[in-house]
Amino acid sequence: MSEDESPFFDREPIDTARALTLLSDGDLELVGRMPYSSNATFLVNLCHEGLRAQAIYKPLQGERPLWDFPDGLYRREVAAFLVADCLGWELVPPTVVRDDAPLETGALQLFMPHEFDEHYFTLHESGDRYDDSFRQICALDLVINNTDRKSGHCLLGTDGRIWAIDHGLAFHHQFKLRTVLWDFAGEPLPDPLRADLWRLIDRGIPDSVAALLDPLEQDAMLTRTKALATSGAFPRGDSNRHRWPWPLV
């Protein structure tokens, strides 16, 4: 069966609450390993109460040790979804921790059918249609301190929306933003995004997020959020420091 014919691949959008139930409670079938991933990443089929979809599974067992991040990158994938959800920004596909997957504990993220030939560079260069979404991703990356925002981590979904994926290298307490989204540097932060940031600051870090990060990372996230909301503008990159991921796509 081809991708276009697959009921898992070609599906209607799923609302967040139902997607989270599917990810947490659905029957899971391992399909295969995803190519070009530095850590073990798998495609899985999910089925729950007649709802069928696919998800991306990133198990703890498949993570390569890093000198600057502790084990458990899967927790940061989940935290990124929770922070975006708390902000009211539907950017990160629903993501949960799943303990009963084939390789045990890991992150399970709803797979978003998308246009495989499109990414940030192609979309931004074709016009400004998606720039509001990219500005939102810029703001999110500053909040979560994303160290790996490649162009290919911005997907154009078949639902016409932009989705942001791959957030395992985020939330470090030391500021080390690496991103390809420097086109908006120096621009004013849109007022609605700024208001969302202040709401997060006033409420504090949700318990669900705090459970996934250490105290230093939590404090640093609030500090970054306050700095961005107070400045009211996207920062400019420091030319003397490495601020680009590699590869770029």
Side-chain angles (χ1 to χ4, degrees):
M1 181 178 290
S2 70
E3 288 178 340
D4 292 339
E5 296 171 335
S6 169
F8 292 99
F9 182 84
D10 185 16
R11 60 167 171 78
E12 294 297 319
I14 304 172
D15 68 79
T16 298
R18 197 174 182 204
L20 291 173
T21 299
L22 172 68
L23 291 166
S24 298
D25 302 329
D27 295 330
L28 191 154
E29 175 192 16
L30 194 67
V31 176
R33 185 164 179 170
M34 300 294 289
Y36 314 120
S37 297
S38 56
N39 293 316
T41 302
F42 300 90
L43 181 69
V44 301
N45 289 338
L46 287 170
C47 185
H48 181 69
E49 296 182 350
L51 178 61
R52 305 172 74 192
Q54 291 182 311
I56 299 299
Y57 169 46
K58 297 185 177 182
L60 171 62
Q61 288 188 35
E63 294 179 4
R64 295 192 308 173
L66 298 173
W67 69 270
D68 55 345
F69 278 89
D71 294 342
L73 302 182
Y74 74 93
R75 289 191 289 267
R76 299 169 193 274
E77 297 274 4
V78 180
F81 162 71
L82 293 172
V83 170
D85 187 58
C86 182
L87 287 164
W89 300 350
E90 292 187 272
L91 291 173
V92 181
T95 314
V96 304
V97 174
R98 186 81 182 248
D99 294 321
D100 62 344
L103 295 176
E104 301 179 351
T105 301
L108 203 60
Q109 182 174 88
L110 186 67
F111 177 81
M112 308 308 293
H114 58 278
E115 305 295 340
F116 289 94
D117 293 332
E118 301 285 6
H119 49 84
Y120 171 69
F121 290 141
T122 64
L123 294 166
H124 181 65
E125 290 168 2
S126 66
D128 60 3
R129 177 181 176 183
Y130 301 106
D131 280 0
D132 286 345
S133 294
F134 292 135
R135 290 184 181 92
Q136 205 172 48
I137 294 174
C138 281
L140 176 65
D141 284 346
L142 286 160
V143 169
I144 69 174
N145 194 19
N146 191 353
T147 73
D148 194 35
R149 176 61 70 200
K150 297 180 174 70
S151 181
H153 294 172
C154 298
L155 310 179
L156 174 60
T158 56
D159 57 3
R161 295 176 50 190
I162 299 297
W163 293 98
I165 62 168
D166 283 339
H167 300 102
L169 300 182
F171 294 101
H172 201 286
H173 66 276
Q174 296 177 339
F175 188 68
K176 50 175 68 184
L177 179 73
R178 289 194 290 269
T179 177
V180 298
L181 303 178
W182 287 112
D183 297 281
F184 309 102
E187 282 192 9
L189 185 68
D191 289 340
L193 301 188
R194 196 175 184 187
D196 293 337
L197 295 176
W198 281 119
R199 277 196 296 273
L200 175 61
I201 294 164
D202 291 340
R203 294 173 183 170
I205 296 177
D207 291 342
S208 57
V209 176
L212 299 168
L213 305 175
D214 70 34
L216 279 178
E217 292 166 345
Q218 296 174 45
D219 290 345
M221 188 183 86
L222 278 181
T223 298
R224 292 190 302 270
T225 306
K226 289 178 182 178
L228 180 59
T230 301
S231 71
F234 292 109
R236 299 182 183 277
D238 184 346
S239 60
N240 294 321
R241 300 185 66 185
H242 180 61
R243 284 291 180 256
W244 294 84
W246 190 260
L248 296 177
V249 177

